[in-house]
Amino acid sequence: MRYYLIAGEASGDLHGSNLIKALKTTDPKAEMRCWGGDKMAEAGSILVKHYRELAFMGFVEVISHLPEILKNLKSCKQDILNFKPDVLVLIDYPGFNLRIASWAKKQGIKVCYYISPQIWAWKENRVKKIKTSVDKMLVILPFEKAFYQKHHFDAIYVGHPLAEIVNKELQQPPEPLSDKPVIALLPGSRQQEIREKLPVMLSVVRHFPDYQFIVAKAPSMDTAFYEPFMNDYPNVGVLEGRTYDLLKQATAALVTSGTATLETALFGVPEVVCYKGAALSYYLARKLIKVKYISLVNLILDKPAVKELIQNEFNTQNLIAELNALLFDAEKKEALQSDYTRLWELLAERDSSKKAADEIVALARE
């Protein structure tokens, strides 16, 4: 069978790579092409376009890159037609993938969506488009199945792939990174979010001289991109390709909102969730987004388990206060670890990638 996969960011590349491995096990003769990243290519798919060329976020940023986005859509559609897949597998990335889904359905191509767009947070009306253009929806958050049931659409809960990945990682001892206790900085995977967040994160370094700060380099970024931010902080390290080693050893972490907040929590690391975007994008988002929290940790637990510093609250003074609490407040640390235990209980569905692959292959064979 032939499978065409589309992921538009680092987390999609990670989950897509594990899905590709599982597809090759379930369907040994599988042929695959993808829009994704290095991990998906290494897993055995032909990489057509790298997600680093697709990563536009925020209302203003998307509008300014609209001609390039439209060109990408046209190119993607033509490549899908040339490949003639048995199933088109869309991995999150809704702005692009939902347009592809509608088009593909009209071409008679079976569509499976793996990792639902977060339409429960905003743009809930997108569920109408999903119902008409997606043949099978595979969800990874426990509450998403009930959300789709409310809209009279059957979704299949396969478990969160991060729980599976992190559980395996925790069995492997890390390579030591420092003699000092480590504080991890995860400023994101896109240029614009790193530019916004890393300088603020680094501004706390001198207030914690007994700790080693280490920046997790995004796989899509060149090391040279980080150098201007690091000039005033010669004692801060940059780590490439070993984010999980970093999280295994971190005493605390400052993390950009997104999948990394969940990864950090599953590794048991106390964290502060950081978000800052373009002023207009943030203003519009506040008007449209309906959820109480921005981090997956808090959304899944339905409580403010980890501190979220958003927009103007994301500043040096607040970061110092929150880091001090995470490092030295025993009661706070104990409560947070209790919340993390509950998080594992909610997400620890085994073999999520295999379950997803089985559903996709079944759709291909129908």
Side-chain angles (χ1 to χ4, degrees):
M1 296 290 183
R2 292 185 166 198
Y3 307 90
Y4 200 106
L5 301 90
I6 303 175
E9 53 198 354
S11 60
D13 182 37
L14 172 64
H15 301 321
S17 68
N18 287 301
L19 179 62
I20 287 166
K21 294 171 188 174
L23 281 169
K24 291 172 72 175
T25 299
T26 305
D27 181 3
K29 294 182 179 180
E31 297 178 48
M32 285 173 273
R33 286 174 72 82
C34 72
W35 286 40
D38 299 335
K39 293 183 186 302
M40 291 173 76
E42 290 164 5
S45 176
I46 295 171
L47 180 63
V48 180
K49 199 172 190 73
H50 202 287
Y51 68 78
R52 69 169 66 96
E53 301 177 59
L54 309 172
F56 308 117
M57 59 183 293
F59 301 97
V60 177
E61 295 82 358
V62 168
I63 291 170
S64 64
H65 289 91
L66 192 56
E68 187 175 349
I69 293 169
L70 293 174
K71 183 180 177 181
N72 285 335
L73 281 165
K74 183 178 180 181
S75 171
C76 183
K77 290 173 183 178
Q78 188 58 56
D79 196 58
I80 292 170
L81 287 176
N82 293 342
F83 185 61
K84 297 181 175 65
D86 295 287
V87 178
L88 173 64
V89 182
L90 307 174
I91 304 172
D92 200 2
Y93 196 51
F96 189 91
N97 276 339
L98 285 176
R99 288 175 172 81
I100 292 292
S102 295
W103 167 85
K105 188 68 174 177
K106 294 173 185 175
Q107 310 305 312
I109 299 169
K110 295 175 185 174
V111 178
C112 181
Y113 217 118
Y114 175 52
I115 306 180
S116 169
Q118 295 179 355
I119 58 174
W120 34 264
W122 74 306
K123 291 191 176 181
E124 189 167 340
N125 63 333
R126 280 177 164 178
V127 75
K128 297 175 184 176
K129 181 179 286 189
I130 288 172
K131 290 171 69 174
T132 58
S133 61
V134 174
D135 296 289
K136 186 174 283 191
M137 173 63 74
L138 307 178
V139 299
I140 64 171
L141 297 172
F143 58 81
E144 289 178 319
K145 184 175 177 66
F147 170 83
Y148 279 105
Q149 283 178 335
K150 181 183 76 173
H151 289 281
H152 310 290
F153 187 64
D154 288 331
I156 300 166
Y157 176 60
V158 294
H160 203 296
L162 271 183
E164 179 184 356
I165 294 165
V166 172
N167 187 54
K168 291 177 182 176
E169 283 290 331
L170 287 171
Q171 313 308 314
Q172 307 298 322
E175 295 180 30
L177 296 173
S178 174
D179 294 332
K180 292 182 177 180
V182 170
I183 295 176
L185 305 181
L186 281 70
S189 60
R190 301 179 179 93
Q191 286 191 12
Q192 65 199 61
E193 61 184 351
I194 295 169
R195 286 195 186 101
E196 287 276 8
K197 299 173 185 69
L198 185 54
V200 186
M201 291 178 175
L202 288 170
S203 69
V204 307
V205 168
R206 293 190 179 92
H207 296 270
F208 298 89
D210 296 330
Y211 291 83
Q212 174 67 55
F213 285 76
I214 299 178
V215 179
K217 177 183 133 2
S220 61
M221 302 300 301
D222 293 328
T223 303
F225 177 77
Y226 292 84
E227 290 174 359
F229 303 105
M230 313 298 290
N231 288 338
D232 294 332
Y233 305 97
N235 297 324
V236 176
V238 178
L239 195 62
E240 180 175 2
R242 293 175 59 196
T243 300
Y244 285 174
D245 261 358
L246 175 58
L247 290 176
K248 287 178 192 177
Q249 298 171 65
T251 307
L254 307 182
V255 188
T256 292
S257 59
T259 305
T261 64
L262 183 56
E263 287 177 300
T264 302
L266 290 173
F267 276 100
V269 182
E271 65 179 307
V272 181
V273 176
C274 308
Y275 176 82
K276 187 174 185 180
L280 179 57
S281 292
Y282 177 67
Y283 171 79
L284 293 172
R286 281 191 64 186
K287 295 293 184 183
L288 296 171
I289 293 175
K290 299 182 294 183
V291 293
K292 294 183 286 185
Y293 311 109
I294 64 167
S295 72
L296 283 172
V297 178
N298 291 345
L299 285 167
I300 294 167
L301 292 171
D302 194 26
K303 62 181 291 189
V306 296
K307 182 67 176 180
E308 299 178 350
L309 295 179
I310 304 171
Q311 212 66 1
N312 292 334
E313 292 181 351
F314 174 49
N315 58 49
T316 304
Q317 183 178 352
N318 286 342
L319 281 180
I320 292 169
E322 293 302 326
L323 260 184
N324 274 317
L326 292 180
L327 294 171
F328 306 118
D329 186 333
E331 187 175 337
K332 184 177 180 67
K333 289 194 287 185
E334 184 178 348
L336 185 56
Q337 291 305 321
S338 177
D339 288 331
Y340 284 176
T341 298
R342 176 59 181 155
L343 188 68
W344 268 106
E345 292 170 354
L346 291 170
L347 295 182
E349 186 85 16
R350 303 298 178 192
D351 301 322
S352 58
S353 296
K354 182 182 184 304
K355 289 178 181 178
D358 290 346
E359 293 291 343
I360 292 166
V361 171
L363 179 60
R365 290 174 176 164
E366 284 179 4

